[in-house]
Amino acid sequence: MAAPSLLNWRRVSSFTGPVPRARHGHRAVAIRELMIIFGGGNEGIADELHVYNTVTNQWFLPAVRGDIPPGCAAHGFVCDGTRILVFGGMVEYGRYSNELYELQASRWLWKKVKPYPPSSGLPPCPRLGHSFSLYGNKCYLFGGLANESEDSNNNVPRYLNDFYELELQHGSGVVGWSIPVTKGIVPSPRESHTAVIYCRRDSGSPKMYVFGGMCGARLDDLWQLDLETMSWSKPETKGTVPLPRSLHTASVIGNKMYIFGGWVPHKGENIETSPHDCEWRCTSSFSYLNLDTAEWTTLVSDSQEDKKNSRPRPRAGHCAVAIGTRLYFWSGRDGYKKALNSQVCCKDLWYLDTEKPPAPSQVQLIKATTNSFHVKWDEVPTVEGYLLQLNTDLPYQAVSSDSSATPNMQGVRMDPHRQGSNSIIPNSISDTMNSAKSEHTAMKGTSLKNKPELKASTDSNATLHSSLATNASNHNSCVVDMLRKNEGPHTSVNIGVLSTCLDLRTVIPETSVSSTVSNAQTMVTQQTIKTESSSTNGAVVKDETSLTTFSTKSEVDETCALPATKISRVEAHAAVMPFSKETPSNPVATMKAGERQWCDVGIFKNNTALVSQFYLLPKGKQSISKIGNADVPDYSLLKKQDLVPGTGYRFRVAAINGCGIGPFSKISEFKTCIPGFPGAPSAVRISKNVEGIHLSWEPPTSPSGNILEYSAYLAIRTAQIQDNPSQLVFMRIYCGLKTSCIVTAGQLANAHIDYTSRPAIVFRISAKNEKGYGPATQVRWLQDVSWFHCLFESGMNIQSNNCRKDISD
């Protein structure tokens, strides 16, 4: 965590949508990038469910249905995957609840649930201000405030310290309450405290930490409950303990419990001599407890004044939610007007990055040309931009600077301690094969309001292919023509195929991102298809008779939006054939790998970039512009260098947030294209029909001449794959000028199901011009394996009723 003076609070001021009215006593949870708020009140209890999208800066009111609960305040609110549980709270003045509701956020469906009572003892009584914490398949309820009077207008408070366990069913529903038998001294009764659960990585014993609260006076004690042994204890802590407080928030990020705000004693009050009589005020103090070392650290003390409005003002009864390593705070009350007999509530939304962002995934290639790369990397949650760097074996030769093409860096805050260029560099690119992944949709951009105008990516809808290629002779040397009859159950639709087997090898595994396909007989429109293409650049094939095999280790990004829908998926890759032996050699710098200088490509707002140039930092000179608390190069003062055809470049990327620049990703290597070969086919579509499937594609956007033919290949089952699943063997299933073909049931019966990520059948499609075959687009057709097994086990008799049903689904 940054030092107190370097805390970089950000106030969100340019959101859109229906903003909820200011309140206190509300609760919030996070589902991925969404902050979901329920309840609370000010001049009446709120019953709406509000959602804030932290990526788009948009508030919205989902259309909820089902058993919609009444509005409540100071309730329990936990999230388990995409379901949310609400327990208890105040439903009107003096009347509290002990009802339990479940929200399925994937459908915005409320349901009232009735857990079984404990086998011995009574279920929890109606209450407010309790803690309700989730770990595994259990929720833990502790303390709160009950009303002893049966008359809601005659409030007789009773502070609680009872402890319950609620067992959940998987996915939806609950089992029932139980009252665990605990050991040790139980914490004193209290309400408006906090409770979090944390489990150390080196210890399998989860522990619940209870801090502060109110029982006539505010408390500052810390309690620990071992959830395996059910033993209470008071851990001894180091550092300065925060002042006694209630109505604060506690959030766990990593191994730290962050405490913000709440009601604390007035300055100068002696709470030890007169705890019930002293006056209380709201605070904006901010501390954390290291849960591994039990040491408190003060980040913002109660005595620190904020004259610049650079952080949230004092408040209590607010909500806090952690998304990634970022903490969001919204609303709460900051005072009480006796004359108006009402609370004064805040309506502001703030966030704070608690640590530098993690390293992004490796840079992945979408498209390569002779002098540019279109690259991407996986998004890192809650970041403000990305720093992309490259280096190469070529000596740098600067060209004149064009300041108009440089990004506007004003206001960017970065860590002055940028990671150096001492990363381990792989062997020469001519000895490696590379892979990458991309999404063929408009990138999900994070709105950076009141932030620097970071360099925006271009060509986001570019066709996904790589143009690295080989000549026809090398392609033919990698292909062995064989007469092979398909060995399948002999039915009327078994077809003997004269096939060409393609056995291609690469070194570095490919990765993949899922793409949406309609469940109907045809694909959805191209705008809604996410594809992923990867380019694998290879060395010259020295043995003319040797075969090569593609490695197809892959991962699937689960892109389940709320509300969730059942979809089938397709994935596409561009896999490049081995280089031509005519590949020109490039001069190699004499410096050692560890001495190669990393050069900035720029700072990008989104996780995609079109790279045609990079910036040169003069040796012995640091053209640095001081911006904010960090040193950043002033790109307008730096010279640029163009990318060169047929040249290898290494890339790495780091994410940027309010704490600075995080660690760099692993290094990726790509090579610019050699002119003359066709690009990869694009816009691959797959649909089921009664014969099998229909496979179609679009011609390369860069044909580099006339396309003479296309070849389509299917990964098939062989003993070689069983011994080494990462090496696929391909059978040619089509060769011709048309941009579509039918893959029959007989051919599909021999298909290999790739389980390296989600089950998929793998296709490859490549184009040939006068110079030879270019890179292939690889498609991983994600599917319900039961359909394929039905097709295979029925002897490819796809007219069977069961199979017809699966195909139509």
Side-chain angles (χ1 to χ4, degrees):
M1 184 69 199
S5 60
L6 297 179
L7 288 181
N8 197 1
W9 293 94
R10 302 286 177 91
R11 180 171 179 172
V12 183
S13 57
S14 52
F15 35 69
T16 60
V19 181
R21 60 188 170 97
R23 65 191 66 190
H24 61 96
H26 52 289
R27 300 289 187 262
V29 294
I31 299 180
R32 292 190 289 276
E33 73 273 16
L34 302 180
M35 180 172 70
I36 301 172
I37 295 171
F38 181 69
N42 185 38
E43 301 177 358
I45 294 178
D47 59 0
E48 312 97 355
L49 188 78
H50 289 268
V51 181
Y52 173 67
N53 188 316
T54 61
V55 172
T56 62
N57 276 2
Q58 182 179 22
W59 287 97
F60 65 94
L61 280 164
V64 297
R65 55 197 174 92
D67 305 324
I68 300 174
C72 57
H75 47 287
F77 201 55
V78 297
C79 180
D80 175 30
T82 58
R83 71 166 162 178
I84 296 171
L85 293 170
V86 180
F87 174 74
M90 181 173 70
V91 292
E92 62 182 50
Y93 178 77
R95 189 165 72 87
Y96 310 150
S97 168
N98 63 348
E99 293 180 337
L100 182 67
Y101 288 85
E102 175 187 274
L103 172 69
Q104 290 290 342
S106 60
R107 293 172 290 160
W108 302 118
L109 178 64
W110 282 106
K111 181 171 120 180
K112 187 175 182 179
V113 291
K114 296 182 179 180
Y116 288 110
S119 57
S120 61
L122 298 173
C125 65
R127 66 189 66 202
L128 62 72
H130 48 282
S131 59
F132 196 53
S133 309
L134 173 76
Y135 187 81
N137 69 330
K138 293 179 180 177
C139 289
Y140 298 92
L141 169 68
F142 176 74
L145 180 71
N147 186 0
E148 286 282 75
S149 173
E150 295 182 1
D151 181 6
S152 61
N153 293 320
N154 182 24
N155 196 5
V156 180
R158 176 168 65 96
Y159 294 98
L160 306 170
N161 65 345
D162 49 357
F163 179 62
Y164 287 86
E165 185 178 86
L166 175 66
E167 184 178 353
L168 310 181
Q169 291 178 345
H170 179 71
S172 177
V174 297
V175 178
W177 294 104
S178 62
I179 304 175
V181 177
T182 61
K183 307 169 189 174
I185 300 174
V186 179
S188 60
R190 65 193 65 208
E191 59 103 358
S192 298
H193 56 283
T194 54
V196 301
I197 297 177
Y198 170 72
C199 185
R200 290 182 59 156
R201 290 184 180 180
D202 58 354
S203 170
S205 178
K207 295 177 176 61
M208 184 172 78
Y209 293 87
V210 175
F211 176 72
M214 168 76 172
C215 62
R218 270 77 184 181
L219 304 168
D220 64 353
D221 50 349
L222 177 71
W223 293 84
Q224 174 185 285
L225 174 66
D226 189 310
L227 294 179
E228 284 191 357
T229 64
M230 286 296 166
S231 300
W232 285 103
S233 62
K234 284 191 73 172
E236 294 202 4
T237 62
K238 297 171 282 186
T240 303
V241 178
L243 288 176
R245 66 191 61 212
S246 64
L247 295 172
H248 54 286
T249 54
S251 308
V252 174
I253 297 178
N255 65 345
K256 298 178 178 68
M257 177 178 73
Y258 291 91
I259 302 292
F260 176 76
W263 284 104
V264 297
H266 258 299
K267 300 176 185 177
E269 293 283 352
N270 187 345
I271 62 172
E272 294 182 359
T273 58
S274 56
H276 294 273
D277 298 327
C278 70
E279 302 228 354
W280 305 87
R281 61 180 176 87
C282 291
T283 182
S284 60
S285 60
F286 188 45
S287 303
Y288 72 78
L289 175 69
N290 185 313
L291 297 171
D292 290 337
T293 63
E295 182 172 4
W296 286 103
T297 299
T298 301
L299 298 171
V300 178
S301 70
D302 290 279
S303 60
Q304 279 182 258
E305 295 186 6
D306 180 28
K307 297 180 180 179
K308 298 181 180 180
N309 296 320
S310 59
R311 66 173 187 265
R313 68 182 192 259
R315 66 193 63 210
H318 53 285
C319 70
V321 67
I323 297 179
T325 58
R326 177 175 288 179
L327 269 176
Y328 283 86
F329 304 92
W330 183 73
S331 201
R333 60 181 179 182
D334 68 350
Y336 182 78
K337 291 185 178 178
K338 288 185 178 180
L340 300 177
N341 193 28
S342 65
Q343 308 289 341
V344 179
C345 288
C346 318
K347 198 178 181 178
D348 47 354
L349 174 64
W350 293 77
Y351 69 81
L352 175 72
D353 289 309
T354 60
E355 56 189 64
K356 293 179 183 179
S361 65
Q362 284 180 276
V363 177
Q364 301 139 17
L365 184 64
I366 298 175
K367 176 183 175 181
T369 69
T370 55
N371 57 5
S372 70
F373 296 111
H374 188 190
V375 297
K376 77 173 287 286
W377 49 91
D378 290 349
E379 286 185 335
V380 178
T382 63
V383 299
E384 299 175 3
Y386 302 90
L387 171 64
L388 181 64
Q389 293 186 332
L390 65 74
N391 73 27
T392 181
D393 291 334
L394 276 180
Y396 297 139
Q397 295 177 348
V399 299
S400 60
S401 173
D402 178 9
S403 60
S404 64
T406 62
N408 181 357
M409 298 300 300
Q410 184 177 2
V412 177
R413 302 171 68 88
M414 299 210 207
D415 184 4
H417 308 294
R418 292 231 320 237
Q419 185 168 329
S421 56
N422 56 354
S423 303
I424 298 174
I425 308 298
N427 294 331
S428 170
I429 193 167
S430 63
D431 298 328
T432 62
M433 314 287 263
N434 307 305
S435 63
K437 70 177 181 179
S438 67
E439 281 187 278
H440 186 56
T441 51
M443 296 300 172
K444 184 171 60 176
T446 303
S447 177
L448 294 182
K449 307 297 182 182
N450 298 329
K451 302 291 187 302
E453 207 176 272
L454 301 180
K455 185 173 181 179
S457 61
T458 58
D459 195 26
S460 62
N461 290 318
T463 304
L464 301 182
H465 74 276
S466 170
S467 303
L468 284 170
T470 181
N471 60 19
S473 62
N474 275 335
H475 176 267
N476 292 334
S477 72
C478 296
V479 176
V480 176
D481 291 323
M482 302 173 65
L483 290 175
R484 179 175 297 175
K485 185 175 181 179
N486 284 341
E487 299 296 329
H490 295 285
T491 68
S492 59
V493 292
N494 252 355
I495 301 174
V497 179
L498 180 65
S499 64
T500 300
C501 288
L502 184 64
D503 187 0
L504 304 163
R505 285 191 180 84
T506 60
V507 177
I508 297 180
E510 299 169 355
T511 55
S512 59
V513 159
S514 56
S515 307
T516 305
V517 182
S518 73
N519 287 323
Q521 297 297 316
T522 58
M523 297 283 290
V524 292
T525 60
Q526 179 63 23
Q527 285 77 8
T528 63
I529 297 175
K530 292 182 182 176
T531 61
E532 199 166 274
S533 62
S534 61
S535 291
T536 52
N537 306 338
V540 174
V541 179
K542 297 181 179 179
D543 183 355
E544 292 291 334
T545 62
S546 68
L547 301 179
T548 55
T549 345
F550 281 91
S551 166
T552 56
K553 294 179 183 176
S554 55
E555 297 174 358
V556 176
D557 287 348
E558 296 290 340
T559 54
C560 213
L562 295 177
T565 56
K566 184 179 180 181
I567 58 175
S568 60
R569 299 168 185 266
V570 82
E571 300 172 286
H573 292 257
V576 177
M577 313 297 276
F579 283 155
S580 163
K581 288 184 178 179
E582 300 172 2
T583 300
S585 59
N586 295 311
V588 177
T590 57
M591 64 180 69
K592 296 180 181 179
E595 297 173 350
R596 294 189 184 103
Q597 183 184 22
W598 285 97
C599 298
D600 288 2
V601 176
I603 295 177
F604 295 83
K605 173 183 174 181
N606 296 322
N607 62 327
T608 181
L610 183 63
V611 182
S612 60
Q613 296 177 320
F614 56 93
Y615 295 95
L616 301 177
L617 197 62
K619 288 188 177 181
K621 293 185 179 181
Q622 298 291 321
S623 299
I624 297 297
S625 174
K626 189 77 173 179
I627 299 176
N629 291 328
D631 292 330
V632 196
D634 183 349
Y635 290 118
S636 65
L637 302 178
L638 301 182
K639 292 185 177 181
K640 296 184 293 184
Q641 179 156 321
D642 294 318
L643 302 190
V644 179
T647 303
Y649 294 90
R650 301 167 192 85
F651 286 88
R652 67 180 188 179
V653 64
I656 306 168
N657 67 10
C659 290
I661 301 175
F664 280 93
S665 66
K666 293 181 180 179
I667 296 169
S668 299
E669 298 185 52
F670 311 117
K671 201 166 189 176
T672 46
C673 297
I674 304 167
F677 294 92
S682 62
V684 179
R685 301 174 184 228
I686 299 175
S687 60
K688 299 175 186 177
N689 60 25
V690 293
E691 299 177 66
I693 65 168
H694 181 259
L695 188 64
S696 64
W697 56 90
E698 296 292 334
T701 55
S702 304
S704 299
N706 295 323
I707 299 298
L708 304 180
E709 66 183 26
Y710 296 95
S711 287
Y713 302 90
L714 169 68
I716 59 173
R717 298 191 309 275
T718 65
Q720 179 181 355
I721 293 182
Q722 292 177 356
D723 297 335
N724 188 351
S726 65
Q727 293 186 345
L728 297 188
V729 175
F730 285 82
M731 173 180 71
R732 184 153 67 181
I733 54 175
Y734 171 77
C735 182
L737 268 173
K738 290 184 178 180
T739 56
S740 66
C741 67
I742 297 294
V743 186
T744 66
Q747 292 169 327
L748 288 173
N750 287 322
H752 166 69
I753 300 292
D754 179 29
Y755 288 94
T756 52
S757 56
R758 294 182 60 185
I761 295 175
V762 182
F763 297 95
R764 287 210 172 116
I765 306 163
S766 58
K768 179 183 178 182
N769 65 8
E770 293 87 347
K771 208 163 187 181
Y773 270 95
T777 296
Q778 174 169 297
V779 179
R780 301 187 73 253
W781 181 31
L782 302 183
Q783 62 194 271
D784 181 2
V785 181
S786 63
W787 173 81
F788 180 79
H789 286 169
C790 175
L791 187 68
F792 176 72
E793 291 171 2
S794 65
M796 288 73 70
N797 185 3
I798 60 176
Q799 298 302 322
S800 81
N801 291 332
N802 290 336
C803 286
R804 187 184 297 114
K805 179 180 184 298
D806 287 338
I807 290 172
S808 64
D809 284 344

